[in-house]
Amino acid sequence: MSDNIIELKNLSKTYKGGITAVSDFNLEIKRGEFVTLLGPSGCGKTTTLRMIAGFELPTGGEILLNGEDITKYPPHKRPINTVFQRYALFPHMNVYENIAFGLVQKKVPKDQIEKKVKKVLDLVDLEGFERRKISTLSGGQQQRIAIARALVNEPEILLLDEPLGALDLKMRKEMQLELKAMHKELGITFIYVTHDQEEALTMSDKIVVISEGKIQQIGTPEDIYNEPKNAFVADFIGESNIFNGVMTGHLKVRFCGAQFDCVDDIPEGTHITAVVRPEDVIMTAPEEGTIRGRVDSVIFKGIHYEITVVSGKNEMVIQSVHSATPGNTIGMKVDPDNIHVMIAEDNTNIFTAEINKNYNLEYNGSEIAADITGIIKGSRRLEDGSVADARGEIVDTEKVRIEVAIKPQDIVMTDEHESGIVDGYISNLIYKGDHYSYVIHTDLGQDFVVDDEYLWNMEDHVGLLMDPSKMKFRVKR
Ligand code: ATP
């Protein structure tokens, strides 16, 4: 028999209204593994769990259990039990009756039920609680009963859907450790759902990061933390500085307005996303840094300081045991090993625009002729020119940022550099068969890649013209 207890093959679910909650999941879960499905609210975690449990039928793909196709089996035919966030205990029954309920239904002999209930109560550390009423138990105790009730059926797989979500922080931490210990003792497979990255990192053997119905990365907690596959994972797991950049040579990468050495061998001229963890930024004297910036804020966090530094249009968050003084200029460098470079989805330029006081989109002081009510879902312009979001609240122009994407072939270079939305100097030039690919440095610390059939010279000062109808917009979190 293979090591896999569960295999999801091209599993998909589109609900009746047309929402695709799960799109083409391929996942193997080993017997005895602790696997966590991790992702923001609405990403499809619960739907996946419900399909594994049999409460929901997939619209595509299959689910194998020990190699057998169980996609269409009803829940009770699967050796799987689920623990939900809301404990779903029967309030009018005592602890014993709650745990014994399923076994009584199955007509298991009374003496066996008694033995089994005692065993699981021991396991969840609530021996002697048999006669207690549910209403007299704390949240943590109720959740343990819910777990005991699932375990009493001796499932091969235990599904846990945000089981600690309703508990306070201290209780949650305690229960995390207990669940982990329980998993070890029982040796069965746990499939756990959470949106809490710390919880996932602490407990799991394997993490499946999900966003918008798609698996983004599968790996051990270390893999996911140290080698995030894309910007979403890097952003979601732990704190990260994320920059758009471009490869400017062999093991040379440019982002944040400077060139860094890196260890990822990616072809020159490729758009990349660079991720730097706050703890990996080294503060130096201004003249010794790869980049320089002004200290904007310093917060003491107990073990370290969290220091925010502004460098051009970029912001770098640093965690250090050393403090810094707001207003001072410092240097920053990063070891090549600690710069995680990922190829951007395609060579699209991505930059962040702001909403100005007229509630129009603006970049580098120039307005972009795009209506923000078409960008922020459900928003509308009010009579005084301001814009209200779907909930009717005025959009906070200090906080809301809009990510703009535009392809290299949709940007036009002009030597009238003042007429562009932004200007800069050509710093790289690669011939790509039927066109040239240029990298344009701007003094905003943002580089653009532009495709053009004509040959320009290195160091030419150019303006970049961008047609708003060629731009794609996304509201940044
Ligand atoms: P949360 O952490 O908030 O529970 P989740 O990651 O578990 O989120 P799901 O509950 O799987 O996400 O939902 C994924 C998407 O499917 C959401 O857009 C949700 O609105 C939609 N959805 C879930 N259940 C149904 C349903 N019965 N009918 C229609 N759409 C649904």
Side-chain angles (χ1 to χ4, degrees), residues 359 376-382 384 386-396:
Y359 293 84
I376 302 172
K377 248 195 206 159
S379 68
R380 65 201 158 87
R381 202 167 277 271
L382 305 178
D384 64 359
S386 63
V387 170
D389 65 17
R391 284 172 302 169
E393 284 168 23
I394 302 289
V395 169
D396 186 345

Side-chain angles (χ1 to χ4, degrees), residues 13-22 38-50 56 85 161-162 193-195 210 213:
K13 173 76 186 182
T14 301
Y15 284 107
K16 280 207 182 88
I19 292 175
T20 298
V22 171
L38 172 69
S41 178
C43 72
K45 308 177 294 285
T46 299
T47 302
T48 309
L49 215 60
R50 289 175 62 80
E56 203 77 68
Q85 176 177 358
D161 191 356
E162 305 241 8
V193 158
T194 182
H195 62 266
I210 305 172

Side-chain angles (χ1 to χ4, degrees), residues 315 352-357 359 361 372 376 389 391 393-403 474-477:
E315 222 179 65
T352 303
E354 294 168 4
I355 298 172
N356 65 19
K357 58 180 191 315
Y359 293 84
L361 209 55
I372 66 165
I376 302 172
D389 65 17
R391 284 172 302 169
E393 284 168 23
I394 302 289
V395 169
D396 186 345
T397 55
E398 294 290 316
K399 288 216 178 102
V400 180
R401 296 280 176 270
I402 307 292
E403 195 175 86
R474 193 173 72 93
V475 181
K476 271 186 110 171
R477 273 195 288 151

